[in-house]
Amino acid sequence: DLQGDGRGVWEDVSCTCLDNSASVFGGVSKLKQHVRARAAMGDDCIMVVSMCVPGIIGDNIVDACAEFSGELGIEVIPVPVDGIGAGAASGGIRAVVDKMVELADDCDEKDPGLINVMGDYRSATDHMACLDGSVDRLLADAGFRVNTRYPGECTLDDIRRMKRAAFAVRSFDERTSRLTCEDACRRMGITLMQRSLPKGMVNIGPWLDEVEELTGRDLDDVKRRMSEEYETRIEPVRKHTEGRTAVVVTRPSSDYSWLFGTLDDLGIEVLRTRESTYNRWLMGQSACDDKEPYMSRMVQEDADELRPDIVLGLRRRYWRVVAPHPGLDGIVDWAERLGRAMDAPEMEAWR
């Protein structure tokens, strides 16, 4: 995977590094060199992923991989993801789903105790990796065992056993991820939970409610225990946050229910909420069509007018809103860091 947790993918990646000559003469010869080199290193399963240039010049990696498999006696799997330059990113997503469904072994009897985690929730930094267990704890409390984490910590064997699980859950709620997961689960006969892994205590209860509806499990004791633990762990933080004020700047495309629920739990009054529309990925999209234009410089104007204790926003100039890990430990850690920020010296009317 790409997360720097000791199972990094980069040591297993070999790139053909196509240059201008490949655009004229093709890149299959370089591909052959790299596949043979990987086979000589002991690899017995190699996935060949094409990108923009092979798609544009018409290199046929499907036939090339079939040739490699016969010549080398190993499994060489083509994944023709030609990239945006050769069409659209949606084509690449479909190619990945097609290959995933193709590789998964059929299973007639699915295990209701197994769940696939779709999408990577883990931290990209080592000092936050300790919170990755927050998800394992949440799933275990809900009566699940993790079958496959896709794509994080994912091997070919993990993909092959995906159809054993009766359920799947998305690690985050984003439109492209949701459509991809829905397509994959539908074709593999897996029930995909409507709610993604819950961020914030405000979302943990409803998520557990859905688990009860899908599985018939009684999770009342789990809900009560988690609620009591949350209150116990959040109470010391309130000493630093109760009665404080904030201005919050969010994106129109994301769900911030966890943020506002946690601020309410901490006794922080939100003086004003803004949605940033000055974003190169969002400007001109329907998400911003009915929004009041809000530029970064307006944050200073809000701070001067309202004098909040803190500004929670999207840029590093103020306290940046980064979504917590799913589960109880994740949101408590986020709250504790916010409490420490409240004790920091003031600077330009906010911290």
Side-chain angles (χ1 to χ4, degrees):
D1 73 85
L2 307 180
Q3 303 298 324
D5 60 359
R7 299 186 62 186
V9 72
W10 296 117
E11 63 187 21
D12 297 325
V13 170
S14 182
C15 181
T16 55
C17 298
L18 298 181
D19 53 22
N20 290 336
S21 65
S23 300
V24 179
F25 302 106
V28 174
S29 59
K30 278 196 171 184
L31 178 61
K32 289 181 178 179
Q33 295 174 12
H34 282 273
V35 171
R36 290 188 179 112
R38 296 299 310 194
M41 294 169 59
D43 294 347
D44 56 9
C45 178
I46 300 173
M47 290 190 176
V48 176
V49 182
S50 63
M51 300 299 282
C52 295
V53 174
I56 293 171
I57 65 180
D59 278 352
N60 188 336
I61 70 165
V62 176
D63 289 348
C65 289
E67 179 184 337
F68 298 150
S69 294
E71 173 191 337
L72 302 172
I74 62 175
E75 193 169 12
V76 184
I77 302 171
V79 185
V81 182
D82 292 338
I84 296 176
S90 59
I93 294 172
R94 285 195 299 272
V96 170
V97 172
D98 289 343
K99 187 58 61 178
M100 179 170 58
V101 173
E102 175 186 327
L103 292 172
D105 295 332
D106 290 333
C107 181
D108 294 332
E109 294 187 10
K110 300 188 181 300
D111 188 338
L114 293 178
I115 191 167
N116 295 327
V117 180
M118 309 290 285
D120 213 340
Y121 56 83
R122 291 165 307 138
S123 172
T125 53
D126 291 339
H127 72 278
M128 293 293 292
C130 61
L131 291 176
D132 295 338
S134 177
V135 174
D136 294 326
R137 178 187 174 191
L138 174 69
L139 293 173
D141 286 343
F144 288 120
R145 307 184 310 279
V146 177
N147 181 51
T148 296
R149 304 178 198 270
Y150 177 85
E153 295 184 342
C154 194
T155 66
L156 182 59
D157 289 339
D158 294 325
I159 294 176
R160 292 198 188 284
R161 65 167 178 260
M162 288 186 77
K163 292 182 181 179
R164 298 179 187 177
F167 302 101
V169 61
R170 291 171 290 117
S171 64
F172 52 88
D173 192 12
E174 187 271 331
R175 182 176 182 275
T176 302
S177 170
R178 182 168 61 252
L179 295 176
T180 302
C181 294
E182 287 175 351
D183 185 23
C185 290
R186 175 181 56 79
R187 295 169 60 182
M188 290 191 288
I190 298 171
T191 299
L192 177 65
M193 293 187 64
Q194 293 301 304
R195 289 181 172 272
S196 59
L197 287 173
K199 297 179 176 68
M201 197 63 200
V202 68
N203 291 315
I204 290 177
W207 186 83
L208 291 172
D209 288 341
E210 184 179 357
V211 174
E212 287 182 317
E213 294 174 6
L214 291 174
T215 66
R217 298 168 190 156
D218 182 358
L219 299 178
D220 286 345
D221 287 343
V222 173
K223 296 176 192 175
R224 182 170 55 256
R225 174 168 47 81
M226 293 185 74
S227 178
E228 291 174 353
E229 181 180 344
Y230 176 72
E231 286 298 321
T232 299
R233 297 174 65 181
I234 216 75
E235 183 60 33
V237 182
R238 289 196 183 102
K239 298 176 182 177
H240 306 274
T241 60
E242 193 83 48
R244 301 296 185 93
T245 59
V247 168
V248 179
V249 184
T250 63
R251 298 187 193 280
S253 59
S254 300
D255 176 16
Y256 290 95
S257 58
W258 65 268
L259 173 61
F260 293 103
T262 306
L263 294 179
D264 186 58
D265 291 342
L266 294 173
I268 297 175
E269 180 186 0
V270 178
L271 300 178
R272 181 171 294 167
T273 301
R274 297 279 199 176
E275 287 188 324
S276 175
T277 55
Y278 188 67
N279 183 287
R280 59 178 176 165
W281 300 111
L282 293 176
M283 289 299 289
Q285 295 186 9
S286 58
C288 292
D289 287 345
D290 61 345
K291 308 296 182 184
E292 174 190 0
Y294 187 67
M295 313 301 181
S296 299
R297 60 177 173 78
M298 296 180 179
V299 177
Q300 180 67 59
E301 297 173 2
D302 282 346
D304 291 339
E305 175 192 350
L306 300 173
R307 306 291 295 179
D309 290 299
I310 198 167
V311 173
L312 307 176
L314 308 173
R315 297 181 180 272
R316 294 180 181 177
R317 187 181 177 189
Y318 28 89
W319 211 78
R320 191 173 182 182
V321 176
V322 178
H325 270 49
L328 181 61
D329 294 334
I331 194 58
V332 170
D333 171 80
W334 188 91
E336 289 173 345
R337 287 186 285 116
L338 178 60
R340 290 192 291 270
M342 286 295 191
D343 292 336
E346 290 189 15
M347 184 174 64
E348 298 183 7
W350 69 80
R351 292 171 173 82

